[in-house]
Amino acid sequence: MPITPTSLLALIATRAARAFLPTLAALALVASSAAATACAAPAAAATTDPRLDADSGRALVTYAPGIPWDHQHMILELRIADMRAPKLDGVATITSTCRLTAAAVIAFDARETIAVTSVTVNQRPATFNHQNNRLAINLPDAPAPHNATITTRIVYTAENPQGNGVGLVWLTGARRGTDADDAPARNPQIFSQGQANWNSFWFPCHDFPNDRLSTELIVDAPEGFDVISNGKLLSQQTLTSTATTKPLVRWHWKQDLPHPAYLVMLAVGKFAKADLALPPPPSDAGASILATLAAPGTTIAPAKPTSFITALPMRVYGPLGTEKTLATNFARTGAMVRFFEALFDEPYPWDKYDQIIVRGFRWGGMENTSATILAEYAATGDLGDHDDLIVHEIAHQWIGNLITCASWEHLWLNEGWATFAEWLWIEHTQGRKAYNKAVTDAMRKLTILPLEPLPAGVPMVSNLYTEPDDTFEKAEDPYVRGGLVLHAIRRRLGDEAFFRGARLFIDRHRLTSVETDQFRIALEDASGEPLERLIDELAKRPAFPKLTVKLRRDNAKGEVEVTITQRQTINPSNPAYELLVPVRITAANTNTITTFTIRTDRQEATETLAFPGTIAKIEVDPDHAILGQIEIDD
């Protein structure tokens, strides 16, 4: 059945984390393309090649920027004098260490919403050039040698520091009487949306995920408003006011452990609040939690007792008057934290976990370090209605925040893991059958899309993009496909080896930025299995295998002949996939199950399976070990 714009919108709306909605024109294009695919014979390979600019021959790729300066710490001082006027005064003090042999300039991403008034380096005035969203600062004592550490202080103002729901989103509210500031739908509100590269709307930074720094936000905001940011609240102090100024309160937040600039967050508003409870550490080091994920006859090793924190402040902020709903809807947050501590054998890494529901957020959620932003619908409904959203964002606190993709071509490591985590939570709470249904639904959503092979198709892991946000919108969806890639690897390796590899990945790379091959190497080291071809075909190649499996039974001989034909496009750019196809046969009299695995790396392969006795049922790939379409001819 060809996909329609409505069904594609429904597919995308189920994603828990931040993902851009395609334009209606793009949706119509997908729908019409799918319809043509469904009605027509297979067409010749597309002639368009997204890798090259047709006029210039230039490669249409984006490489990660270098890190000439390792930014280590930022103190960001902000003054918000009026919540109804989208303007702030800022001072960014950034400590950086030179990684070049010598450097005469230090540069930051700073969009044109930022107006820089002065800069000092090591307390000496410095000249600067601010154009094309880049702030280049000339060092007064240039050049700085390798490993030299400097402190840059940038004084600026930022007016309307936002794009279309990104940057520092400023809802000024409506003036409708004296109660306007207290009306839930009308009080002014501010929240940030930094992913992918939007925080440079409101502070200068290295706006790419391949560098990390610790941060402090010192924010002066009007009295009566809550200010939330990353990390722990060090102090809250009412400032002296005058007859002509409104009282301001200074909030000082500190994020001790380093994180990428896009995860720095700020929210200011009047909120209902609900404090949540963290269950005590499991007495069995998570063994009973992990038993819900282990296949029959297997065991996932328990976590270390030290992998469970003893206390964690957790608060939910939402629309005024929703305290009871917040407490109900988010009651499982603590259990989810314990689940991931057991799964990853890694304690929750941050000082707190806040969840802030705001108005006007364009997506489901955004996993800022220790402080997730959520869409307003999360304050409606009942317990369980938003568990997919809540668990998705909590999972990101480990993979996405503690470990972060080094560039947006590796986004699937963030979003695929968070999507996969939704299914694991389903398996933990509802059983393996419910997990398999979630995977089946995801496979159906992916395989009904008209995905193109090379060269027209762009793989999930690819630097073929112009803007970072393009990687969230691509047909080779890093959410759904990313989750299915992880599921396929899990089925290939088995539960013990797969989760051992995931833990090794976190142990090796915590508080760093990573690429796909680093994940692969951790899995290989944990399992002893070669995975390069599998992950290349799953993640670095577009489209998917389309199989026809013919089954011919010969009860007299006690044999089943299995012929597997790959019917997707096969050419030098798109060779046949290497597949391990499970075939499960159930005996009629005893219900004994025997599973065979057929390996093929060619267009057609035939294998004869010996199975004496009467066959009750034959199933091909019942657990979706193959990311693709399978038609059975029995």
Side-chain angles (χ1 to χ4, degrees), residues 595-618:
T595 300
F596 302 86
T597 300
I598 300 175
R599 181 189 177 278
T600 176
D601 61 357
R602 58 194 65 197
Q603 188 166 6
E604 184 170 294
T606 299
E607 189 164 325
T608 301
L609 309 179
F611 191 87
T614 305
I615 295 173
K617 182 169 59 175
I618 301 177

Side-chain angles (χ1 to χ4, degrees), residues 90-137:
V91 179
T93 304
I94 304 170
T95 302
S96 313
T97 297
C98 182
R99 297 178 61 181
L100 300 174
T101 302
V105 174
I106 186 169
F108 299 92
D109 298 302
R111 295 179 182 266
E112 294 178 359
T113 51
I114 291 176
V116 178
T117 56
S118 67
V119 177
T120 61
V121 176
N122 291 342
Q123 300 182 338
R124 294 191 58 193
T127 60
F128 59 89
N129 181 30
H130 186 194
Q131 59 181 359
N132 300 323
N133 298 324
R134 192 77 171 159
L135 174 64
I137 299 166

Side-chain angles (χ1 to χ4, degrees), residues 376-406:
E376 197 166 15
Y377 70 80
T380 64
D382 207 337
L383 177 65
D385 288 351
H386 310 300
D387 278 2
D388 56 346
L389 171 63
I390 297 167
V391 79
H392 185 113
E393 305 303 338
I394 293 175
H396 270 312
Q397 299 302 317
W398 283 266
I399 300 189
N401 297 5
L402 184 65
I403 292 177
T404 308
C405 61

Side-chain angles (χ1 to χ4, degrees), residues 18-20 164-169 191-202 262 264-266 361-363 365-368 373 469 472:
R18 171 254 193 222
F20 286 97
N164 182 18
V166 297
L168 195 62
V169 180
F191 65 88
S192 62
Q193 172 54 38
Q195 194 183 50
N197 60 335
W198 302 116
N199 269 346
S200 51
F201 265 111
W202 58 287
Y262 80 89
V264 174
M265 69 81 62
L266 175 65
F361 188 64
R362 289 175 54 194
W363 303 281
M366 178 59 218
E367 65 278 6
N368 307 297
I373 294 287
D469 286 335
F472 293 84

Side-chain angles (χ1 to χ4, degrees), residues 247-268:
L248 298 179
V249 177
R250 176 165 296 169
W251 302 69
H252 186 176
W253 289 91
K254 185 173 184 180
Q255 171 58 44
D256 285 319
L257 295 177
H259 59 154
Y262 80 89
L263 293 173
V264 174
M265 69 81 62
L266 175 65
V268 185

Side-chain angles (χ1 to χ4, degrees), residues 104-391:
V105 174
I106 186 169
F108 299 92
D109 298 302
R111 295 179 182 266
E112 294 178 359
T113 51
I114 291 176
V116 178
T117 56
S118 67
V119 177
T120 61
V121 176
N122 291 342
Q123 300 182 338
R124 294 191 58 193
T127 60
F128 59 89
N129 181 30
H130 186 194
Q131 59 181 359
N132 300 323
N133 298 324
R134 192 77 171 159
L135 174 64
I137 299 166
N138 302 306
L139 303 188
D141 296 322
H146 177 68
N147 271 343
T149 297
I150 65 172
T151 298
T152 306
R153 185 174 186 269
I154 303 164
V155 181
Y156 67 96
T157 60
E159 191 162 356
N160 199 27
Q162 58 188 316
N164 182 18
V166 297
L168 195 62
V169 180
W170 209 301
L171 306 176
T172 57
R175 296 184 183 275
R176 297 182 183 177
T178 58
D179 68 336
D181 282 357
D182 295 320
R186 301 199 299 271
N187 59 76
Q189 198 172 86
I190 298 170
F191 65 88
S192 62
Q193 172 54 38
Q195 194 183 50
N197 60 335
W198 302 116
N199 269 346
S200 51
F201 265 111
W202 58 287
F203 65 90
C205 59
H206 176 84
D207 212 352
F208 203 82
N210 61 348
D211 190 32
R212 306 171 76 91
L213 75 171
S214 54
T215 57
E216 294 180 60
L217 265 70
I218 303 172
V219 182
D220 297 347
E223 189 176 45
F225 289 87
D226 290 306
V227 175
I228 307 119
S229 189
N230 315 94
K232 57 189 173 186
L233 182 63
L234 298 184
S235 63
Q236 180 180 343
Q237 174 190 1
T238 301
L239 304 180
T240 303
S241 61
T242 67
T244 59
T245 61
K246 296 179 180 179
L248 298 179
V249 177
R250 176 165 296 169
W251 302 69
H252 186 176
W253 289 91
K254 185 173 184 180
Q255 171 58 44
D256 285 319
L257 295 177
H259 59 154
Y262 80 89
L263 293 173
V264 174
M265 69 81 62
L266 175 65
V268 185
K270 295 188 175 185
F271 298 103
K273 306 177 188 71
D275 290 319
L276 307 175
L278 179 70
S283 58
D284 61 357
S288 56
I289 292 174
L290 298 169
T292 64
L293 305 180
T298 67
T299 302
I300 302 171
K304 299 181 294 294
T306 54
S307 291
F308 301 92
I309 56 176
T310 57
L312 177 65
M314 297 186 297
R315 175 171 286 183
V316 185
Y317 298 79
L320 294 174
T322 62
E323 288 87 351
K324 290 184 179 179
T325 301
L326 300 180
T328 299
N329 287 6
F330 291 85
R332 292 176 178 150
T333 297
M336 293 173 181
V337 169
R338 291 301 190 207
F339 174 73
F340 290 117
E341 288 182 323
L343 182 68
F344 295 133
D345 194 10
E346 180 74 28
Y348 178 83
W350 316 111
D351 290 310
K352 68 164 190 316
Y353 186 57
D354 286 341
Q355 297 171 89
I356 306 100
I357 299 169
V358 298
R359 303 195 314 273
F361 188 64
R362 289 175 54 194
W363 303 281
M366 178 59 218
E367 65 278 6
N368 307 297
T369 308
S370 79
T372 288
I373 294 287
L374 297 168
E376 197 166 15
Y377 70 80
T380 64
D382 207 337
L383 177 65
D385 288 351
H386 310 300
D387 278 2
D388 56 346
L389 171 63
I390 297 167
V391 79

Side-chain angles (χ1 to χ4, degrees), residues 419-477:
T419 302
F420 184 57
E422 296 176 41
W423 307 339
L424 294 176
W425 177 254
I426 289 172
E427 184 173 14
H428 169 58
T429 56
Q430 302 175 40
R432 179 158 291 214
K433 185 176 180 180
Y435 169 87
N436 287 337
K437 182 182 184 303
V439 171
T440 300
D441 291 346
M443 190 78 74
R444 186 177 298 114
K445 290 172 184 177
L446 180 71
T447 55
I448 62 174
L449 295 174
L451 302 179
E452 298 269 14
L454 292 170
V458 177
M460 181 179 70
V461 177
S462 171
N463 64 355
L464 287 172
Y465 66 87
T466 302
E467 295 294 334
D469 286 335
D470 297 345
T471 60
F472 293 84
E473 299 176 347
K474 66 199 308 180
E476 297 286 353
D477 179 7

